């Protein structure tokens, strides 16, 4: 049985290009638990707060419930739910999951395969990360779910449905050159021994959601603003100014200077004649990643 293909075939709610990473987040959480404790049942009431935090930090901006993936993942043959009265999920409602003492665990066939093939945990986790989240978020997400990142980094590229998940190495060079090796938000332009340092080529629409490795979907950002952009703290307006989430709190001088002061600032444009970020990618990021509302500039 090809478990990567099974994971790639997870049924999920969809509406256009909206993000719905609820099931992948639960699977990553379960894989982290498996690495540490084996396939022990996970009591919903004990895991609810952790799952809610995962959805709040890495799910879509809209309100979501941890009961949704805990119940609905059972339909994909990867997850089993039992209650105090026997097998079967009581549904996605939080109260019913708590009251019935619902527990979840990986399907025994999957757990057996994970035990027999040590690299399978890493390969499934790598696929889930690449298929659902921006690369800048992978390390923090692994830490939060308790996955051994060092093991994941040795897993290599993952095959799913005959397609290799692979990044275009030319994208970074193209984007950094277009923006003259300068952060489009703060104008940082550090170099070390003739090489740009601390600068990234950020995808506006994530590759996991059909974001192309093209200049019209890229921004040159310093490492900190790249992370904040992917977390939804920073965004872009239709007028190509920086937006800052009103949910962000920063009390230090550095937080005010590096983040809050960006609100309303014009985003640096690429060199004349080169393509700026396309409006449809800005719209996607604003709806799917940015944590509304935006602060007044």
């Amino acid at each position: 049985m090809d478990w990567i293909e099974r994971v790639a075939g997870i049924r999920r709610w969809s509406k256009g290009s909206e993000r719905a990473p609820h099931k992948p987040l639960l699977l990553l959480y379960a894989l982290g638990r498996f690495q540490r404790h084996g396939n022990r049942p996970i009591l919903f009431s004990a895991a609810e707060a952790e799952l809610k935090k995962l959805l709040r930090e890495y799910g879509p901006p809209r309100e979501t419930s941890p009961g949704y993936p805990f119940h609905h993942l059972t339909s994909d043959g990867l997850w089993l739910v039992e209650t105090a009265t026997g097998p079967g999920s009581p549904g996605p409602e939080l109260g019913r999951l708590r009251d019935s003492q619902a527990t979840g665990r990986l399907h025994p066939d999957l757990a057996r395969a994970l035990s027999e093939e040590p690299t399978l945990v890493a390969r499934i986790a790598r696929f889930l990360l690449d298929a659902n989240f921006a690369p800048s978020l992978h390390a923090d997400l692994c830490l939060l779910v308790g996955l051994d990142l060092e093991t994941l980094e040795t897993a290599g590229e993952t095959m799913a449905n005959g397609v290799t998940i692979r990044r275009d190495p030319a994208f970074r060079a193209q984007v950094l050159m277009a923006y003259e090796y300068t952060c489009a938000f703060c104008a940082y332009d550090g170099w070390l021994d003739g090489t740009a340092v601390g600068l990234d080529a950020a995808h506006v629409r994530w590759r996991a959601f059909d974001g192309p490795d093209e200049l019209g979907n890229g921004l040159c950002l310093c490492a900190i603003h790249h992370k904040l952009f992917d977390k939804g703290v920073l965004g872009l307006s239709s007028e190509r100014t920086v937006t800052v989430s009103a949910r962000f709190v920063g009390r230090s001088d550095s937080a005010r200077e590096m983040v809050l002061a960006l609100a309303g600032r014009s985003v640096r444009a690429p060199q004349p004649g080169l393509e700026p970020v396309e409006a449809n990618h800005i719209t996607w990021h604003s709806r799917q990643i940015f944590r509304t509302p935006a602060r007044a500039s």
Side-chain angles (χ1 to χ4, degrees):
M1 181 179 297
D2 190 328
W3 287 104
I4 301 296
E5 289 188 7
R6 289 281 295 274
V7 170
I10 288 175
R11 293 185 291 275
R12 65 184 73 183
W13 176 89
S14 63
K15 180 181 178 183
S17 58
E18 291 194 30
R19 297 172 60 225
H22 310 71
K23 290 180 179 181
L25 283 170
L26 175 57
L27 264 181
L28 286 167
Y29 177 80
L31 290 172
R33 290 286 294 262
F34 183 88
Q35 269 195 334
R36 288 172 287 140
H37 307 298
N39 202 28
R40 297 178 187 173
I42 301 170
L43 184 65
F44 176 78
S45 59
E48 180 181 356
E50 294 176 277
L51 294 173
K52 188 175 293 185
K53 182 178 182 180
L54 278 171
L55 287 167
R56 183 174 64 249
E57 293 197 23
Y58 295 97
R62 63 183 182 278
E63 188 70 23
T64 53
S65 167
Y68 172 88
F70 205 90
H71 165 73
H72 287 290
L73 188 58
T74 58
S75 65
D76 296 290
L78 302 169
W79 179 251
L80 294 180
V81 173
E82 297 180 341
T83 67
T85 59
S89 172
E93 294 82 7
L94 299 181
R96 294 179 66 182
L97 286 165
R98 297 180 196 127
D99 294 343
S100 64
Q101 300 177 48
T103 62
R105 59 190 173 96
L106 296 173
H107 192 284
D109 290 344
L110 174 55
R112 188 178 306 110
L114 293 172
S115 298
E116 294 173 352
E117 187 181 346
T119 64
L120 185 57
V121 170
R123 292 194 294 115
I124 291 176
R126 176 56 63 196
F127 172 80
L128 290 168
L129 290 167
D130 287 343
N132 294 279
F133 306 99
S136 70
L137 305 180
H138 291 183
D140 290 345
L141 180 49
C142 285
L143 287 173
L144 194 56
V145 299
L147 276 166
D148 179 359
L149 185 60
E150 183 177 351
T151 299
L152 291 180
E153 288 175 340
T154 63
E157 295 172 333
T158 297
M159 293 291 293
N161 297 329
V163 178
T164 305
I165 297 174
R166 180 179 288 125
R167 299 186 182 95
D168 182 357
F171 175 72
R172 181 178 187 275
Q174 181 185 31
V175 171
L176 266 60
M177 178 275 295
Y179 286 85
E180 300 181 283
Y181 304 91
T182 303
C183 176
F185 286 178
C186 71
Y188 167 83
D189 60 352
W191 286 70
L192 177 67
D193 296 332
T195 302
V197 62
L199 289 170
D200 299 333
H203 288 82
V204 179
R205 181 195 290 260
W206 293 356
R207 293 181 68 256
F209 294 87
D210 301 321
D213 285 337
E214 298 173 355
L215 183 57
N217 187 41
L219 277 175
C220 178
L221 296 178
C222 66
I224 188 168
H225 288 143
H226 185 186
K227 176 66 73 66
L228 295 177
F229 187 63
D230 285 344
K231 286 283 285 184
V233 172
L234 300 176
L236 296 171
S237 73
S238 57
E239 292 78 25
R240 289 179 168 73
T241 60
V242 181
T243 53
V244 179
S245 173
R247 303 188 198 183
F248 175 80
V249 176
R251 300 181 180 87
S252 66
D253 289 342
S254 58
R256 286 193 291 269
E257 293 169 4
M258 297 174 67
V259 183
L260 301 179
L262 294 178
R265 182 180 297 182
S266 294
V267 175
R268 181 184 181 92
Q271 295 184 41
L274 296 181
E275 185 180 9
V277 178
E278 295 179 9
N280 64 315
H281 298 320
I282 294 175
T283 299
W284 182 88
H285 188 277
S286 298
R287 292 177 177 174
Q288 299 300 316
I289 307 300
F290 183 68
R291 303 287 169 161
T292 57
R295 286 177 175 266
S297 57

